[in-house]
Amino acid sequence: VHTEGLAFEVVTAEMVSQEGGRVVLEITDRLPSYQLVDDGGEVVAEKEGLPEATWQAELVPAPDASGWRFG
């Protein structure tokens, strides 16, 4: 099976702090409803999404300078 309509949605992302190359973000996201579909295109299951939730993430620069990673 594979998913259809599965998409994590970021509602807000705000910087809480920045110190010594580390950044803490407060993120509010949600997960809308999605479907599990088999190889023939038949819907196997309807999955309920998740409501908005707020959490914090600490990010640090990637060692190869390609961007950020979770600390």
Side-chain angles (χ1 to χ4, degrees):
V1 296
H2 65 274
T3 62
E4 286 191 6
L6 178 62
F8 296 92
E9 296 178 354
V10 174
V11 178
T12 61
E14 297 180 15
M15 185 168 53
V16 174
S17 66
Q18 181 178 8
E19 184 179 327
R22 293 182 183 274
V23 174
V24 176
L25 300 177
E26 183 170 274
I27 299 168
T28 300
D29 64 2
R30 68 176 162 242
L31 178 65
S33 300
Y34 62 97
Q35 298 174 328
L36 297 179
V37 179
D38 67 17
D39 290 336
E42 295 292 321
V43 175
V44 176
E46 298 274 348
K47 295 294 186 175
E48 212 174 289
L50 299 172
E52 287 187 11
T54 301
W55 52 284
Q56 289 193 348
E58 182 180 315
L59 302 177
V60 296
D64 62 0
S66 63
W68 297 85
R69 65 179 176 90
F70 288 98

